[in-house]
Amino acid sequence: MPSMSTIESLFCRSTPWEAATRRWVLPWALQGVRPTGRVLEIGGGGGAMAAQLLAASTPADQVQLTVTDFDPVMVDAAQDRLQRFGDRAVAQVADATALPFGDGEFDTVVSFIMLHHVVDWEQALCEAARVLRPGGTLVGYDLLGTAPARLLHRLEGAPHRFIDRGQLRPHLAGLPLRDLTVRENAASTRFRAIRTAGR
């Protein structure tokens, strides 16, 4: 699984990105879902979304957040950013296509604008469903394979494999998920679903 490009790495650790996550990105991405209990963010980068998720949670939510990323530099940045939350958050290196967690360990799994970096995004979503407990929620968003997105990533040399329009729903429908919602606009897709009891 590839690491981020230098440009993306710097952006994900920047103050403007953190401000954007607080104001509109996180609420838009969560689509009304309120994460509770054990929460896993796959490919959390520098931890900006994780920090905002924790800041927005209440004691009643009992959020214990695990943030993973393939890039050790990003994990270090996330650890620094999440330090203020004490033992409510941990960041660790992990491959999204082979998560080091048992089946059904998490109440919520979130994926924010990272699947196209995984390249094998189908396997990453299989792993996300696997580590969800029955009744747990999968929620996220990503870029679609538009011409501007492909050009930007090509120019900066970032490894990627975008989701094309119409690809995400059939793949998610083949996983042990129910109440599936997929919304696509001109440049991105948002998704959410509930883990079923079966395999």
Side-chain angles (χ1 to χ4, degrees):
M1 196 175 115
S3 298
M4 287 186 188
S5 71
T6 302
I7 293 169
E8 289 170 318
S9 177
L10 291 171
F11 177 73
C12 286
R13 290 178 283 163
S14 71
T15 301
W17 174 240
E18 187 165 9
T21 62
R22 180 176 53 254
R23 291 179 180 242
W24 60 273
V25 178
L26 184 65
W28 177 81
L30 287 176
Q31 307 164 67
V33 171
R34 186 164 190 94
T36 58
R38 294 200 64 201
V39 179
L40 172 65
E41 182 180 3
I42 302 171
M49 294 287 273
Q52 297 310 319
L53 191 154
L54 283 165
S57 68
T58 68
D61 297 328
Q62 299 181 343
V63 171
Q64 294 291 320
L65 182 62
T66 300
V67 180
T68 65
D69 201 277
F70 188 73
D71 186 341
V73 173
M74 289 291 97
V75 170
D76 288 345
Q79 284 175 332
D80 289 344
R81 186 175 264 147
L82 299 173
Q83 206 168 25
R84 65 186 163 117
F85 297 102
D87 62 2
R88 293 178 59 208
V90 62
Q92 69 182 75
V93 174
D95 183 339
T97 64
L99 293 170
F101 308 112
D103 296 356
E105 273 196 47
F106 294 94
D107 300 296
T108 310
V109 175
V110 297
S111 165
F112 302 130
I113 204 164
M114 57 69 64
L115 287 171
H116 66 283
H117 293 291
V118 177
V119 180
D120 188 0
W121 55 262
E122 295 94 340
Q123 180 59 29
L125 288 170
C126 289
E127 281 290 277
R130 179 186 66 79
V131 301
L132 261 180
R133 68 163 176 79
T137 303
L138 170 65
V139 62
Y141 82 103
D142 214 283
L143 300 176
L144 290 173
T146 62
R150 289 181 197 281
L151 178 61
L152 175 64
H153 283 70
R154 193 173 304 118
L155 289 173
E156 67 183 1
H160 66 278
R161 181 174 154 250
F162 287 102
I163 299 168
D164 289 326
R165 190 171 301 284
Q167 279 187 314
L168 187 60
R169 180 180 292 278
H171 179 69
L172 289 172
L175 297 177
L177 300 167
R178 62 176 171 81
D179 301 338
L180 174 61
T181 301
V182 176
R183 296 181 177 97
E184 294 180 343
N185 62 28
S188 66
T189 182
R190 292 187 293 166
F191 56 93
R192 70 176 188 221
I194 306 295
R195 178 66 158 87
T196 62
R199 282 188 151 309

